[in-house]
Structure formats: structure tokens, C-alpha cells
Amino acid sequence: MSKQRDSVLRTLEERDVRFVRLWFTDVVGALKSIAVAPAEVEAAMEEGFGIDGSAIEGMTRTQESDVVAKADPSTFRLLPWRSESAPTARMFCDVYTPDGQPAAADPRYVLRRALKKAADLGFTFYTHPEIEFYLLRGVASGDPQPADRAGYYDNVPGGTAHDFRRQSVHMLEDLGISVEFSHHEAGPGQNEIDLRYADALTTADNIMTFRTVVKEVAIAEGVHATFMPKPFAEHPGSGMHTHLSLFEGEQNAFYSAGSQYRLSKVGRQFLAGILHHAPEFTAVTNQFVNSYKRLWAGDEAPSYVSWGHLNRSALVRVPLSKPGKASSARIEYRGLDAAANPYLAYSVLLMAGLKGIEEEYELPEEAVDAIPSLTRLERKALGYAPLPESLNRALELMEDSELVAETLGEQVFQFFLLNKREDWQRYRAQVTAWELESNLNLL
């Protein structure tokens, strides 16, 4: 820590940094920022910076308003979109109570706690997200439209998406965030950028940075970027398929050369844990009313609890690892959407998987057929339970989940339920354009 702190202070001086943004995240995944002068950075790393937690979604109870945001020097990066004449950096913060205890409602702490559980069992948890989003025009005028009419993997010379993705990838690389792939997705105006795998805490920080970079580049390109799960009824939703693996030291715990799809017993148990608990934690991985319009609209979004190898309608897919490359063994969770709070989402995925290992869950039969094409009776006979069909149903299942309550902790668990129930009640009260169009003249 001392070396990292000294490196930060040296960079501030050498690069003449004028402002440092201290970043942290609230319970629903909104990025918060406080700008401090360079002279305050050492104190921010050593002692922290006092903030009013009661003004931040779910951070504290009103009577416990004061919290301390302490900058993590390992996350120091210069922001490449700020002016060279006034260089600006950022650091993520861990949030503490005034007596120095981790704040129970800090999403970064929730994930740290889950990662410690994994470490106590001898594991390191790695994640690799594929993040989808739309680029839009006309948002300010109230008529959002896709920024282009291209489709999956389309190459459009001189198109907005090419310039956008190139600039975004450059900025991400400048921030130390490695990008594996980028391409146009299936929907018009829809893009995907895949981040290289990293430990789950680093990935969650990278996702929060990624969203900021994407929105900044979009503004510069004269378009609007949205991670809304399903912005258009007629076009595919935006997911955040995430590849997951556990390592024991340098060894991939999911790899077994002689097993089906080279997935080890530990990997099968981890996968079984995710499947078993998926309906309970779906409210966390899919936290908005709009999330369920993606899950239940087709377009390869998973709607049923199942796993498969080549089956892209399955909730979890097991990609075939490369022969002789044990590090590539992994599973892909396809239910997560692009608007999730990554700290909380990765926490529940990890804890569900670890539960499967600890209790030696049995993996059900693989789903070979496209599940939506089966009849209801066929799905029932094969044991493909549905994911929650609405945020309301997801919250009901979450409320009864000991696993989710333990993972999030009481304060986050209760606030999350309260906040999302309020979302559902507001949604229920709306009269939509579809209702007016369908019923106003008929009834």
C-alpha cells in the first residue's frame, strides 16, 4: 500500500494533475463522484473523506449519516477524456463507518466479503464480461432512434459505430482496461465490447469505468449511449454475458481433461449452485422492470433455468475449453443484463456457486434443444423451471432467499427490496402508449 500511495503522489506531481475524482457506487449501481484537489489526495488515501451517506441510495440509515470514503491507490488512473491542460485522475473508494469499520451498504465491500469466502476455500474468482449497449440519436428531442441500421458483425466503413468503438477501446486501454473484442451487435445501433478476464473486484471496477467511458465517447461523437436492457420492443435487448471461473493458485479449478466439455467436478458443482439459486438472485442480476422485457422477449435471452454447451437459449453455457489450455475452462452466465450493479451481481453469482461446491449439488441434465421451442409440458417434464417473469415475482423469490440475504447483508438486502418495490409500484401505476393504442377507441 505504501508503494502504491507513493506512486500516486509522484504521478500527481509529475503529470501536474489538477483534480482527482473519488468514485464509489450506491446500492442500485449509480456511480458517485467527489472531486478533490491534489493536496487532499494523501489524506483521502490514509484517512478518507467524510461524506453524507444518508443522501446516497441505501448507503446508511438517516441516523447514521456520516461515512468515510477512503481512496484505493491501486485504482489510480488518469482520465483520458479530460483536457491535457487540466489533467484529471480517478480512484475508486471503499466506504467505512467513522469508527473504521467497512460500511455494510458499500457494494464494493459486499463483493470483497464474497471474495474472502472464496479465498477461505482456496479460490480466486475471475470474470470476463461481454457488454452490450445501444447508440441512439434523438434522445434530447424525445424521439430516440438507433444511430445506425447495421446488424451483427456488420462492417460499415465510416459509420458512427466504427469511430465510436475505436475511440472507446483506445480510452479503455489508456485506463489500463484490456479489451478482447469489439463489434456491432444484432440490433441497429447496438454494439458489444468484451473486457479481458480479471479478478471479480477489478472487473466490477472496470465495468463502472467502462460505462463512464462509453457515455463520454458517445457525447463526443454526438450520440447517446444507453445500457437499458430493452430500449426497443422490436430489437434485441442488451445483456452482459459473463464468463466465470475459479482458480486454485495458478490452476484452473474448473478444468479436467477427461471430463465432459473438460469441466471438472468443482466446475459442475459451481454451475449446479448457480442454477439452483438463479430464480432467487435474478432480482439482483436483473434489477429493473425493463430487465424482464429482455429476458422474456426471445432473441437468445434466457428465460428458463438450464445449462448447455452449444445451446444459446440456456441460462448457463459451458464453452469448450481449448485443448491443452486449462486456463480457458469456464462457464458463461447469460442472464445478467448490462444495467446490473456488477459488485452485487458478481457477489450473488459467486456465493451461489460456492454453495453448490460446499453442499455438492448435482448438475441436472444438459439442455440440448432450444428451450423456447418446447411446449410447456415438455419443459416441465425436463425440469426447466422459468426465471421470474417480472420484477415483482423476482423480489418475492429474493425475499425468501437465505443465500441472497446472507450475501448482501441485512442493510443492503432490505434497502434493495424496498427500492425495487417502489419501482414496481410506480410502474404498475403507469398507463402505457400500448394500452392507449390498443384500448382507447375500442373500449
Side-chain angles (χ1 to χ4, degrees):
M1 182 68 74
S2 169
K3 289 182 179 179
Q4 291 173 334
R5 180 201 61 199
D6 292 345
S7 176
V8 168
L9 297 177
R10 185 167 57 252
T11 303
L12 291 175
E13 183 175 357
E14 291 175 351
R15 299 296 296 271
D16 192 25
V17 174
R18 302 296 180 86
F19 301 98
V20 177
R21 294 183 182 177
L22 306 182
W23 285 359
F24 55 97
T25 307
D26 69 13
V27 170
V28 296
L31 185 66
K32 305 295 181 180
S33 178
I34 301 171
V36 299
E40 304 299 324
V41 170
E42 185 171 9
M45 292 186 288
E46 295 289 340
E47 303 168 11
F49 196 89
I51 56 176
D52 179 4
S54 66
I56 301 165
E57 291 280 14
M59 187 60 70
T60 64
R61 302 174 181 88
T62 302
Q63 67 272 25
E64 304 166 348
S65 60
D66 292 334
V67 291
V68 176
K70 191 172 181 181
D72 178 351
S74 70
T75 66
F76 179 88
R77 297 289 187 277
L78 294 173
L79 296 178
W81 63 84
R82 304 310 301 168
S83 169
E84 285 296 321
S85 62
T88 300
R90 70 94 160 109
M91 284 192 284
F92 280 95
C93 295
D94 293 300
V95 182
Y96 294 86
T97 61
D99 61 0
Q101 297 301 309
D106 177 14
R108 214 165 181 256
Y109 174 63
V110 171
L111 181 53
R112 282 189 186 277
R113 194 170 56 219
L115 293 173
K116 183 180 184 305
K117 167 79 170 181
D120 290 343
L121 295 172
F123 298 120
T124 305
F125 182 44
Y126 287 95
T127 53
H128 154 52
E130 303 173 353
I131 312 172
E132 298 172 343
F133 55 92
Y134 273 87
L135 297 180
L136 309 176
R137 300 189 188 278
V139 173
S141 64
D143 183 29
Q145 297 293 328
D148 59 57
R149 290 293 165 185
Y152 198 48
Y153 285 149
D154 277 358
N155 180 59
V156 185
T160 298
H162 281 289
D163 293 339
F164 171 86
R165 290 197 303 270
R166 182 172 57 250
Q167 184 66 11
S168 295
V169 170
H170 284 327
M171 281 196 179
L172 290 167
E173 296 284 356
D174 287 345
L175 283 159
I177 299 173
S178 297
V179 173
E180 195 164 59
F181 300 110
S182 69
H183 60 85
H184 202 286
E185 253 297 333
Q190 190 180 34
N191 292 266
E192 176 179 311
I193 298 178
D194 301 357
L195 306 186
R196 192 172 296 277
Y197 84 95
D199 68 273
L201 183 62
T202 298
T203 303
D205 288 345
N206 287 348
I207 289 169
M208 298 307 298
T209 304
F210 174 93
R211 290 173 179 167
T212 302
V213 167
V214 164
K215 287 182 177 290
E216 291 282 354
V217 175
I219 291 170
E221 295 289 331
V223 292
H224 178 90
T226 181
F227 296 94
M228 186 175 177
K230 183 72 171 171
F232 300 105
E234 66 274 25
H235 301 311
S238 293
M240 189 165 65
H241 300 171
T242 299
H243 298 254
L244 316 171
S245 58
L246 292 178
F247 274 67
E248 294 178 288
E250 299 297 318
Q251 302 299 315
N252 188 339
F254 282 8
Y255 181 78
S256 175
S259 300
Q260 184 187 29
Y261 308 132
R262 304 189 185 98
L263 187 66
S264 69
K265 180 180 178 181
V266 165
R268 293 174 67 85
Q269 290 172 341
F270 189 93
L271 170 50
I274 286 179
L275 293 179
H276 183 84
H277 294 286
E280 305 167 29
F281 65 63
T282 298
V284 179
T285 56
N286 306 82
Q287 65 166 321
F288 296 100
V289 168
N290 184 254
S291 298
Y292 297 83
K293 299 186 177 183
R294 167 186 168 258
L295 287 180
W296 287 96
D299 299 313
E300 293 190 352
S303 307
Y304 294 89
V305 178
S306 57
W307 75 278
H309 172 48
L310 299 175
N311 189 345
R312 295 185 181 272
S313 68
L315 178 62
V316 184
R317 194 171 71 88
V318 182
L320 188 61
S321 59
K322 298 175 182 177
K325 190 174 181 182
S327 62
S328 67
R330 64 203 186 278
I331 64 174
E332 177 192 12
Y333 188 76
R334 299 172 61 82
L336 188 58
D337 68 39
N341 181 331
Y343 301 100
L344 302 187
Y346 288 159
S347 296
V348 294
L349 284 165
L350 174 58
M351 291 294 281
L354 294 178
K355 189 79 166 179
I357 294 172
E358 289 181 306
E359 301 198 3
E360 299 184 341
Y361 287 3
E362 290 290 333
L363 189 63
E365 290 296 317
E366 176 185 359
V368 177
D369 298 319
I371 299 169
S373 68
L374 302 175
T375 67
R376 183 180 65 84
L377 291 177
E378 286 173 330
R379 288 193 292 266
K380 184 175 181 181
L382 292 168
Y384 302 147
L387 288 174
E389 295 184 1
S390 68
L391 178 60
N392 184 53
R393 178 57 181 154
L395 293 172
E396 290 174 347
L397 294 173
M398 174 180 162
E399 186 173 24
D400 293 334
S401 173
E402 292 183 8
L403 177 92
V404 178
E406 177 187 351
T407 301
L408 301 185
E410 180 185 0
Q411 189 168 323
V412 174
F413 183 73
Q414 294 298 337
F415 175 82
F416 191 96
L417 287 170
L418 176 64
N419 180 273
K420 295 305 169 183
R421 284 198 183 105
E422 290 176 353
D423 281 356
W424 178 253
Q425 292 302 326
R426 286 194 295 269
Y427 171 71
R428 286 181 60 186
Q430 299 302 308
V431 177
T432 66
W434 179 87
E435 291 171 277
L436 293 173
E437 181 181 343
S438 301
N439 300 324
L440 192 62
N441 293 323
L442 178 66
L443 302 179

